[in-house]
Coordinates of all heavy atoms in Angstrom, one line a residue:
L1 N -4.2 11.6 -1.8 CA -2.9 11.6 -2.3 C -2.4 10.2 -2.6 O -1.8 9.8 -3.6 CB -1.9 12.3 -1.3 CG -0.4 12.3 -1.7 CD1 -0.2 13.1 -2.9 CD2 0.4 12.8 -0.5
L2 N -2.7 9.3 -1.6 CA -2.2 7.9 -1.8 C -3.0 7.2 -2.8 O -2.5 6.4 -3.6 CB -2.3 7.2 -0.4 CG -1.4 7.7 0.7 CD1 -1.6 6.9 2.0 CD2 0.1 7.4 0.3
L3 N -4.3 7.4 -2.9 CA -5.2 6.8 -3.9 C -4.8 7.3 -5.3 O -5.0 6.5 -6.3 CB -6.6 7.1 -3.6 CG -7.2 6.4 -2.4 CD1 -8.6 6.9 -2.1 CD2 -7.3 4.9 -2.6
G4 N -4.3 8.5 -5.4 CA -3.8 9.0 -6.7 C -2.6 8.2 -7.2 O -2.3 8.4 -8.4
L5 N -1.9 7.5 -6.4 CA -0.8 6.7 -6.9 C -1.2 5.5 -7.7 O -0.4 4.9 -8.5 CB 0.0 6.2 -5.7 CG 0.6 7.3 -4.8 CD1 1.3 6.7 -3.6 CD2 1.6 8.2 -5.6
E6 N -2.5 5.1 -7.6 CA -3.1 4.1 -8.4 C -2.4 2.7 -8.3 O -2.2 2.0 -9.3 CB -3.1 4.5 -9.9 CG -4.0 5.7 -10.2 CD -4.0 6.1 -11.6 OE1 -3.3 5.5 -12.4 OE2 -4.8 7.0 -12.0
F7 N -2.0 2.4 -7.1 CA -1.5 1.1 -6.8 C -2.6 0.1 -6.6 O -3.8 0.6 -6.3 CB -0.6 1.1 -5.6 CG 0.7 1.8 -5.8 CD1 1.2 2.7 -4.8 CD2 1.5 1.5 -6.9 CE1 2.4 3.4 -5.0 CE2 2.7 2.2 -7.1 CZ 3.2 3.1 -6.1
S8 N -2.4 -1.1 -6.7 CA -3.4 -2.1 -6.4 C -3.7 -2.2 -4.9 O -2.9 -1.7 -4.1 CB -2.9 -3.5 -6.9 OG -1.9 -4.0 -6.0
P9 N -4.9 -2.6 -4.6 CA -5.3 -2.7 -3.1 C -4.3 -3.5 -2.3 O -4.0 -3.1 -1.2 CB -6.7 -3.4 -3.1 CG -7.2 -3.0 -4.5 CD -6.1 -3.0 -5.4
T10 N -3.7 -4.6 -2.9 CA -2.8 -5.4 -2.1 C -1.5 -4.6 -1.8 O -1.0 -4.6 -0.7 CB -2.4 -6.6 -2.9 OG1 -3.6 -7.4 -3.2 CG2 -1.4 -7.5 -2.1
V11 N -1.0 -3.8 -2.8 CA 0.2 -3.0 -2.6 C -0.1 -1.9 -1.6 O 0.8 -1.6 -0.8 CB 0.7 -2.5 -4.0 CG1 1.8 -1.5 -3.8 CG2 1.1 -3.6 -4.9
M12 N -1.2 -1.3 -1.7 CA -1.6 -0.2 -0.8 C -1.6 -0.8 0.6 O -1.2 -0.2 1.6 CB -2.9 0.4 -1.2 CG -2.9 1.2 -2.4 SD -1.9 2.7 -2.3 CE -2.9 3.7 -1.2
L13 N -2.2 -2.0 0.8 CA -2.3 -2.6 2.1 C -0.9 -2.9 2.7 O -0.6 -2.7 3.8 CB -3.2 -3.9 2.0 CG -3.4 -4.7 3.3 CD1 -4.0 -3.8 4.4 CD2 -4.2 -5.9 3.1
L14 N -0.1 -3.4 1.8 CA 1.3 -3.7 2.2 C 2.0 -2.5 2.6 O 2.8 -2.5 3.6 CB 2.1 -4.4 1.1 CG 1.7 -5.9 0.9 CD1 2.4 -6.4 -0.4 CD2 2.2 -6.7 2.0
M15 N 1.8 -1.4 1.9 CA 2.5 -0.1 2.3 C 2.0 0.4 3.7 O 2.8 0.8 4.5 CB 2.1 1.0 1.2 CG 2.8 0.7 -0.1 SD 2.3 1.9 -1.4 CE 2.6 3.5 -0.6
M16 N 0.7 0.3 3.9 CA 0.2 0.7 5.2 C 0.7 -0.1 6.3 O 1.1 0.4 7.4 CB -1.4 0.7 5.2 CG -2.0 1.8 4.3 SD -3.8 1.9 4.4 CE -4.2 0.5 3.4
L17 N 0.7 -1.5 6.1 CA 1.2 -2.4 7.1 C 2.7 -2.2 7.4 O 3.2 -2.2 8.5 CB 0.9 -3.8 6.8 CG -0.5 -4.3 6.7 CD1 -0.7 -5.7 6.2 CD2 -1.2 -4.1 8.1
A18 N 3.4 -1.9 6.3 CA 4.9 -1.6 6.5 C 5.1 -0.4 7.3 O 6.0 -0.4 8.2 CB 5.5 -1.5 5.1
L19 N 4.3 0.6 7.1 CA 4.4 1.9 7.9 C 4.1 1.6 9.3 O 4.8 2.1 10.3 CB 3.5 3.0 7.3 CG 3.6 4.3 8.1 CD1 5.0 4.9 8.1 CD2 2.6 5.3 7.4
I20 N 3.0 0.9 9.6 CA 2.7 0.5 11.0 C 3.7 -0.3 11.6 O 4.1 -0.1 12.8 CB 1.3 -0.2 11.0 CG1 0.2 0.8 10.6 CG2 1.0 -0.8 12.3 CD1 -1.2 0.1 10.4
F21 N 4.3 -1.3 10.8 CA 5.4 -2.1 11.4 C 6.6 -1.3 11.8 O 7.1 -1.5 12.9 CB 5.8 -3.1 10.3 CG 6.8 -4.1 10.7 CD1 6.4 -5.3 11.3 CD2 8.1 -3.9 10.5 CE1 7.3 -6.3 11.7 CE2 9.1 -4.8 10.9 CZ 8.7 -6.0 11.5
V22 N 6.9 -0.3 10.9 CA 8.1 0.5 11.2 C 7.8 1.4 12.4 O 8.6 1.6 13.3 CB 8.5 1.3 10.0 CG1 9.6 2.4 10.4 CG2 9.0 0.4 8.9
L23 N 6.6 2.0 12.5 CA 6.2 2.9 13.6 C 6.2 2.1 14.9 O 6.4 2.7 16.0 CB 4.9 3.5 13.3 CG 4.8 4.6 12.3 CD1 3.4 5.1 12.0 CD2 5.7 5.8 12.7
G24 N 5.9 0.8 14.8 CA 5.8 0.0 16.0 C 7.2 -0.2 16.7 O 7.3 -0.6 17.9
W25 N 8.3 0.1 16.0 CA 9.6 0.0 16.6 C 9.8 1.1 17.6 O 10.2 0.8 18.8 CB 10.7 0.0 15.5 CG 10.8 -1.2 14.8 CD1 9.7 -1.9 14.1 CD2 11.9 -2.0 14.5 NE1 10.2 -3.0 13.5 CE2 11.5 -3.2 13.8 CE3 13.3 -1.9 14.9 CZ2 12.4 -4.2 13.4 CZ3 14.2 -2.9 14.5 CH2 13.7 -4.0 13.8
P26 N 9.6 2.4 17.3 CA 9.9 3.4 18.3 C 8.6 3.8 19.1 O 8.8 4.4 20.2 CB 10.3 4.7 17.5 CG 9.5 4.5 16.2 CD 9.4 3.0 15.9
L27 N 7.4 3.4 18.7 CA 6.2 3.8 19.4 C 5.5 2.7 20.0 O 5.6 1.5 19.5 CB 5.3 4.6 18.4 CG 5.8 5.9 17.8 CD1 4.7 6.4 16.8 CD2 6.1 6.9 18.8
E28 N 4.7 2.9 21.0 CA 3.8 1.9 21.6 C 2.5 1.9 20.7 O 2.3 2.6 19.7 CB 3.3 2.3 23.0 CG 4.5 2.3 24.0 CD 4.0 2.6 25.4 OE1 3.0 1.9 25.8 OE2 4.5 3.5 26.0
W29 N 1.6 0.9 21.0 CA 0.5 0.7 20.2 C -0.5 1.8 20.3 O -1.3 2.1 19.4 CB -0.2 -0.6 20.5 CG -0.8 -0.7 21.9 CD1 -0.2 -1.3 23.0 CD2 -2.1 -0.3 22.3 NE1 -1.0 -1.2 24.1 CE2 -2.2 -0.6 23.7 CE3 -3.2 0.3 21.7 CZ2 -3.3 -0.4 24.4 CZ3 -4.3 0.6 22.4 CH2 -4.4 0.2 23.8
V30 N -0.5 2.5 21.4 CA -1.5 3.5 21.7 C -1.6 4.6 20.7 O -2.7 4.9 20.1 CB -1.4 4.1 23.1 CG1 -2.4 5.2 23.4 CG2 -1.5 3.0 24.2
P31 N -0.5 5.4 20.4 CA -0.6 6.4 19.4 C -0.9 5.9 18.0 O -1.5 6.6 17.2 CB 0.7 7.1 19.5 CG 1.7 6.1 20.1 CD 0.8 5.3 21.0
I32 N -0.4 4.7 17.7 CA -0.6 4.1 16.4 C -2.1 3.8 16.1 O -2.7 4.2 15.1 CB 0.2 2.9 16.2 CG1 1.7 3.2 16.2 CG2 -0.1 2.2 14.8 CD1 2.6 2.0 16.2
V33 N -2.7 3.1 17.1 CA -4.2 2.8 17.0 C -5.0 4.0 17.0 O -6.0 4.1 16.3 CB -4.5 1.8 18.1 CG1 -6.1 1.6 18.2 CG2 -3.9 0.4 17.9
L34 N -4.7 5.0 17.9 CA -5.6 6.1 18.1 C -5.3 7.3 17.1 O -6.2 8.1 17.0 CB -5.4 6.6 19.5 CG -5.8 5.5 20.6 CD1 -5.6 6.1 22.0 CD2 -7.3 5.1 20.4
V35 N -4.2 7.3 16.5 CA -3.9 8.4 15.6 C -3.6 8.0 14.2 O -4.2 8.5 13.2 CB -2.6 9.2 16.1 CG1 -2.3 10.4 15.2 CG2 -2.9 9.8 17.5
V36 N -2.8 7.0 14.0 CA -2.4 6.6 12.6 C -3.5 5.8 11.9 O -3.8 6.0 10.8 CB -1.1 5.7 12.7 CG1 -0.7 5.3 11.3 CG2 0.1 6.6 13.3
V37 N -4.1 4.8 12.6 CA -5.1 4.0 12.0 C -6.3 4.8 11.5 O -6.8 4.5 10.4 CB -5.6 2.9 13.0 CG1 -6.8 2.1 12.5 CG2 -4.4 1.8 13.2
P38 N -6.8 5.8 12.3 CA -7.9 6.6 11.7 C -7.5 7.3 10.4 O -8.4 7.6 9.6 CB -8.2 7.6 12.8 CG -7.8 6.8 14.1 CD -6.6 6.1 13.7
I39 N -6.2 7.7 10.3 CA -5.8 8.3 9.0 C -5.9 7.4 7.8 O -6.3 7.8 6.7 CB -4.4 8.8 9.2 CG1 -4.3 9.9 10.2 CG2 -3.8 9.4 7.9 CD1 -2.9 10.4 10.6
F40 N -5.7 6.1 8.1 CA -5.8 5.1 7.0 C -7.2 4.7 6.7 O -7.4 4.1 5.6 CB -4.9 3.9 7.4 CG -3.5 4.1 7.3 CD1 -2.6 3.3 8.1 CD2 -2.9 5.0 6.5 CE1 -1.2 3.5 8.1 CE2 -1.5 5.2 6.4 CZ -0.7 4.4 7.2

């Protein structure tokens, strides 16, 4: 789904980091590293 958006690798990387940055506000690193990162 995300690859179908046809953004450049840099934009895609920024989007993923932005989501991780936002998730880091309410969540600890554990669920992000163990659940979110494997999805990416």
Side-chain angles (χ1 to χ4, degrees):
L1 177 65
L2 293 177
L3 290 171
L5 299 176
E6 297 184 353
F7 290 133
S8 68
T10 302
V11 173
M12 292 291 291
L13 180 58
L14 285 171
M15 289 172 58
M16 289 185 284
L17 293 176
L19 179 58
I20 290 171
F21 184 88
V22 172
L23 288 174
W25 286 53
L27 298 176
E28 294 183 51
W29 65 266
V30 176
I32 297 174
V33 167
L34 299 177
V35 178
V36 178
V37 170
I39 295 174
F40 287 154

